[in-house]
Amino acid sequence: AIKQHARNGALFVFSTESHPGNEDFDLRITGRFAHSSNYVKKLAQKTGFMIERVESGDIRKDKGKWIEGGLFVLKTKSA
């Protein structure tokens, strides 16, 4: 839905909790999903986005403990 409403060259920035397993994603006991970096990259390509930048790091705290994740910057492809 984002791609349908975004102009060419628009940026889509988001973070995900990191999932190092073989699966594309995992539902954590916290009720949050964690996604593998490869899965996000596959979805970006499939939906017409280019990966502009990916960084790993601490994205938020949960009960005083940092949660590791990925920060993704995607860009819509020009027509």
Side-chain angles (χ1 to χ4, degrees):
I2 293 168
K3 177 70 166 87
Q4 291 175 330
H5 298 286
R7 294 180 180 167
N8 286 338
L11 297 177
F12 176 35
V13 181
F14 61 95
S15 64
T16 66
E17 290 187 14
S18 294
H19 177 54
N22 292 329
E23 302 86 13
D24 290 336
F25 57 88
D26 180 48
L27 178 59
R28 303 276 169 94
I29 60 170
T30 60
R32 293 177 181 262
F33 281 92
H35 300 82
S36 75
S37 186
N38 285 337
Y39 177 63
V40 174
K41 290 174 184 177
K42 284 189 295 188
L43 285 179
Q45 183 178 16
K46 181 179 176 181
T47 56
F49 284 91
M50 298 181 298
I51 301 286
E52 286 288 301
R53 187 173 185 147
V54 179
E55 289 189 20
S56 297
D58 297 330
I59 60 169
R60 67 177 184 85
K61 278 189 172 181
D62 185 32
K63 298 178 184 171
K65 181 181 173 188
W66 281 105
I67 304 297
E68 186 178 338
L71 177 65
F72 297 86
V73 179
L74 279 53
K75 186 176 183 179
T76 55
K77 294 181 181 178
S78 299

